[in-house]
Amino acid sequence: MSYSSIYAASVADPAAFWMEAAQLINWEQAPTRAGDAQPDGIWTWFPDGRLNTCHNAVDRHIAAGRGERTALIHDSAMTGRVTRYTYADIQREVAQVAGMIRAQGVDLGDRVIIYMPMVPEAVFAMLACARIGAVHSVVFGGFASHELAKRIDDAEPKLVLTASCGLEPGRTVAYKPLLDAAIALATHKVLYTVVLQRPELTASLEAGRDIEWSEACAAAEPADCVPVSSDHPLYILYTSGTTGIAKGVVHDNGGHAVAMAWSVPNIYGVGTDEVFWAGSDIGWAVGHSYIVYGPLIHGCTSVMYEGKPVGTPDAGAFWRVIRDHEVDVFFTAPTAIRAVKREDPEGLLLAEKGSGRLRALYLAGERADPDTLAWAETMLGVPVIDHWWQTELGWPALGTCIGLSDTRTRHGSAGRPIPGYSFAILDSEDKELAAGEIGDIVLSLPLPPGCFPTLWQRHAHFQDAYLSQHPGFYTTGDAGMVDDDGFVHVMSRIDDIINVAGHRLSTGAIEQIVSAHPAVAECAVIGANDVIKGMIPIGFIVLKAGVQVSDDEVSREVVARVRDELGPVAAFKSVHVVKALPKTRSGKTLRATIRAIANGEAVATPATIEDPAALEHIYQSVAETSKVEG
Ligand code: COA
Ligand code: AMP
């Protein structure tokens, strides 16, 4: 069946479509109906089904005689080590970690925070939580103590799992002191932490609270899979929201497992005897869905890579991994391809290493600019496919499904709707716009299985943030248009979210940290264009009258604060000290105007501006590049 007929079937009768897809997974108790509608239009998928996600990702493959099939290849460009795990190996490891977690008092529904680098034990930990019905929340290693503390307070974990260190080019990131600081900052009391000691750095452990991973695992009784109801939460993943408070996006077990099992073969076209590599981090949605759950539930081989696209050791790193592990389909962010292109524009390292059996490259996380797409297509000679999704959705909503023999792509567009998703472009009055007209990108309710049913502990905020703007629809937060052929073009955000190297950040959250500096009277943080990272945050600050510090000193301190509080992932390195910020007569900071000036665009003086001289300050400051490199 073609993409078009499958798409049509998915939207004509979603219940029938997803009940059939539900057969892709093993249920302890098969669902008798597809969904129950909630009053807000969100569905509980497969409400009377019971299953275990870890069983579906691990044990069932062994039961099917595929235990010796490679499940996970861990390739660390940082240590030079490659480790392969079969499904049987994973089952042993995960059962042991699950027993170890349970021995610390973690039970069904309890939360476990996983603050770990890209090591296989982090995957075992996620699956171990799923095995016993605990709810994991992975926190990306590039977030600092304050952000971790916020997540500890929101998720209220019984246990935190960590490692002694992460390995970044040129530095060893000691995770344990960052966790200790977060625990000290958090109001919620963390009773136990389990620390994986890596050979590169030994963390000091606090008696009575910190437990050594390998000893605790060795002492544990292996744990079996505990079936849970379909709507039982599998994980919480925090993502940037407009208020500066991270949103705890919840994904359930049943709908999620079905979406994972359906998407790997049907979108990416990966067979169970093939190798899929998502070049992301387990701290992001891509890592959850396409390093861990998607490939393993499907039963193929997943590659987990600790390293960078460039500098570890060079821009040939991707091609080495693809060749060495016979990767069939690769998924990364456009920023990574831009970094490779800059270092190796002629593709000499690619020619040297080859691209093995690579069949397709999927890109997501930010808009794939046509130059980067065209370069990758020419160099690799395989389809390069932009596709679009969000942490909230958990799996792609726009793209080209090579698994459904769809090959149509259009540069500048993230593709056509994936089966299960129904798009509309609306204006502020909820009127549907015609092809070519730009408006809010929304999705019809109910969202398909796998998408978030709520925000952790904040259902009212969930309704307010996503369902209230356009009644009957989920508001994505992106703006764009549909063209005459049904391709959706994602153009920009309608809020303060920016995309830095494929990472989603809120400028409002950065502004909160900057404005808390005692010398800062007011500030604006905007996302300026960057040739590699897509966007980078830049701060404009006005000092309080009479402060006795130099501009450079304040700028350095502000940069350090953002790094210390939010984390290095923010890539916040540029601050301009200006005399005033341009504002409207009603006192609203003209952020779009500041952004345009920072990007070197010609800007007409807004009619509503209160003090045109403030614009001059911005122009001058940008021109003088009174920039402080942090
Ligand atoms: N633990 C601790 N620190 C981390 C970290 C982790 N897990 N991951 C990143 N960081 C740090 C980096 O060391 C860097 O710190 P620095 O300012 O001291 O250099 C900072 O956070 C920013 O990291 P990152 O966003 O990875 O950028 P980078 O400058 O190291 O290089 C590129 C990134 C440009 C090579 C980019 O192409 C890339 O690969 N980005 C990641 C793409 C991605 O995975 N997106 C996820 C969605 S698919
Ligand atoms: P995240 O939740 O971190 O995955 O970020 C989701 C946001 O990233 C989306 O709402 C978009 O703003 C942006 N995004 C992701 N993929 C794409 C894409 N292919 N094209 C344009 N924007 C994208």
Side-chain angles (χ1 to χ4, degrees):
M1 285 227 287
S2 68
Y3 156 77
S4 304
S5 57
I6 290 181
Y7 179 76
S10 78
V11 290
D13 189 351
F17 183 85
W18 289 113
M19 277 302 272
E20 193 185 328
Q23 293 173 24
L24 293 170
I25 65 162
N26 283 9
W27 297 87
E28 198 245 356
Q29 185 182 303
T32 59
R33 59 188 195 280
D36 282 345
Q38 306 299 322
D40 55 17
I42 289 290
W43 271 33
T44 304
W45 283 99
F46 315 115
D48 59 353
R50 290 182 70 76
L51 75 159
N52 182 279
T53 293
C54 180
H55 168 81
N56 276 282
V58 183
D59 302 58
R60 70 160 172 162
H61 302 307
I62 299 158
R66 304 184 70 246
E68 293 315 309
R69 164 91 201 153
T70 303
L72 187 70
I73 301 172
H74 180 258
D75 184 310
S76 173
M78 307 308 298
T79 66
R81 288 192 289 271
V82 173
T83 318
R84 290 184 164 73
Y85 299 88
T86 63
Y87 277 96
D89 294 334
I90 298 244
Q91 186 191 41
R92 270 191 302 277
E93 299 279 358
V94 171
Q96 216 59 35
V97 177
M100 180 268 279
I101 292 174
R102 184 178 274 159
Q104 314 315 318
V106 174
D107 215 333
L108 192 75
D110 290 337
R111 275 79 59 213
V112 175
I113 281 191
I114 301 173
Y115 183 58
M116 293 180 77
M118 288 289 281
V119 289
E121 287 81 357
V123 174
F124 306 154
M126 292 165 77
L127 293 166
C129 290
R131 196 169 186 84
I132 59 168
V135 182
H136 64 70
S137 186
V138 182
V139 178
F140 176 60
F143 285 120
S145 303
H146 281 75
E147 285 299 307
L148 179 57
K150 286 188 207 164
R151 286 150 174 78
I152 289 174
D153 277 338
D154 197 68
E156 301 177 319
K158 266 215 175 133
L159 183 68
V160 180
L161 304 177
T162 193
S164 55
C165 66
L167 304 172
E168 286 291 298
R171 70 192 168 103
T172 301
V173 183
Y175 274 46
K176 183 61 179 16
L178 292 168
L179 173 59
D180 289 342
I183 291 174
L185 283 166
T187 314
H188 172 75
K189 185 129 180 64
V190 173
L191 295 180
Y192 299 110
T193 77
V194 181
V195 184
L196 176 79
Q197 300 282 18
R198 298 188 76 185
E200 292 76 18
L201 183 81
T202 304
S204 58
L205 305 186
E206 190 185 304
R209 192 198 68 189
D210 301 333
I211 299 159
E212 208 273 318
W213 185 291
S214 50
E215 283 169 18
C217 273
E221 277 292 308
D224 261 345
C225 294
V226 175
V228 297
S229 62
S230 181
D231 64 351
H232 184 75
L234 172 68
Y235 69 82
I236 307 166
L237 181 56
Y238 288 88
T239 190
S240 299
T242 51
T243 56
I245 303 165
K247 295 168 169 169
V249 171
V250 173
H251 287 281
D252 64 9
N253 275 271
H256 176 262
V258 172
M260 293 298 100
W262 190 88
S263 63
V264 173
N266 290 296
I267 298 178
Y268 301 104
V270 175
T272 50
D273 54 349
E274 292 192 311
V275 181
F276 188 38
W277 176 24
S280 181
D281 188 287
I282 47 142
W284 305 117
V286 178
H288 279 64
S289 296
Y290 296 113
I291 295 174
V292 186
Y293 289 112
L296 298 184
I297 289 176
H298 180 50
C300 62
T301 301
S302 178
V303 176
M304 179 184 202
Y305 172 69
E306 182 181 42
K308 300 276 174 181
V310 294
T312 59
D314 57 29
F318 278 177
W319 321 130
R320 174 191 68 75
V321 173
I322 287 169
R323 179 201 63 195
D324 287 359
H325 307 312
E326 301 186 303
V327 171
D328 294 284
V329 176
F330 176 40
F331 175 169
T332 189
T335 184
I337 300 295
R338 286 196 296 270
V340 171
K341 176 176 168 229
R342 183 173 67 175
E343 303 265 307
D344 185 21
E346 307 302 327
L348 301 178
L349 290 164
L350 171 60
E352 183 192 309
K353 300 204 159 44
S355 58
R357 38 182 232 205
L358 188 73
R359 211 173 49 233
L361 167 63
Y362 273 85
L363 299 175
E366 53 170 331
R367 181 171 179 272
D369 56 285
D371 276 0
T372 304
L373 273 171
W375 182 84
E377 280 171 344
T378 309
M379 290 292 151
L380 289 166
V382 300
V384 180
I385 297 167
D386 185 13
H387 67 324
W388 172 96
W389 49 299
Q390 308 178 300
T391 305
E392 289 86 342
L393 304 178
W395 62 289
L398 287 172
T400 299
C401 298
I402 54 172
L404 300 177
S405 309
D406 187 17
T407 49
R408 287 180 68 194
T409 58
R410 180 155 300 169
H411 286 192
S413 156
R416 293 185 291 167
I418 301 284
Y421 290 96
S422 181
F423 281 79
I425 308 292
L426 302 183
D427 70 8
S428 55
E429 253 88 72
D430 304 327
K431 188 167 90 37
E432 187 153 356
L433 296 172
E437 291 184 325
I438 296 176
D440 292 357
I441 302 178
V442 300
L443 290 166
S444 302
L445 298 175
L447 295 172
C451 299
F452 73 144
T454 190
L455 292 176
W456 183 251
Q457 315 247 46
R458 293 163 74 206
H459 194 68
H461 183 58
F462 161 79
Q463 289 167 316
D464 187 48
Y466 298 104
L467 306 181
S468 64
Q469 295 93 325
H470 299 289
F473 294 93
Y474 162 80
T475 297
T476 64
D478 285 328
M481 58 139 181
V482 183
D483 68 21
D484 288 330
D485 297 316
F487 284 87
V488 180
H489 299 247
V490 181
M491 322 284 277
S492 60
R493 288 288 300 190
I494 56 177
D495 52 22
D496 75 344
I497 300 289
I498 59 169
N499 221 301
V500 179
H503 311 316
R504 172 171 159 181
L505 297 171
S506 150
T507 54
I510 303 175
E511 283 183 6
Q512 272 181 20
I513 299 170
V514 174
S515 58
H517 187 286
V520 173
E522 56 179 346
C523 73
V525 174
I526 53 97
N529 297 341
D530 184 80
V531 282
I532 298 296
K533 298 201 173 198
M535 275 185 170
I536 45 162
I538 295 188
F540 290 82
I541 60 175
V542 179
L543 299 185
K544 285 179 183 160
V547 291
Q548 297 296 314
V549 280
S550 71
D551 291 0
D552 278 0
E553 204 176 327
V554 180
S555 300
R556 258 194 304 276
E557 285 173 14
V558 162
V559 165
R561 270 182 177 236
V562 173
R563 194 177 171 93
D564 286 351
E565 291 193 24
L566 209 159
V569 66
F572 181 74
K573 301 191 177 183
S574 301
V575 172
H576 296 260
V577 180
V578 291
K579 288 200 180 69
L581 295 175
K583 292 190 177 165
T584 63
R585 279 188 280 277
S586 58
K588 209 164 170 277
T589 304
L590 290 159
R591 287 186 174 76
T593 308
I594 301 177
R595 186 171 58 239
I597 296 172
N599 285 336
E601 294 163 17
V603 175
T605 305
T608 54
I609 196 163
E610 189 192 22
D611 174 16
L615 267 193
E616 280 313 309
H617 301 315
I618 304 285
Y619 273 119
Q620 270 170 24
S621 182
V622 169
E624 287 162 14
T625 56
S626 60
K627 193 171 98 176
V628 176
E629 294 296 335

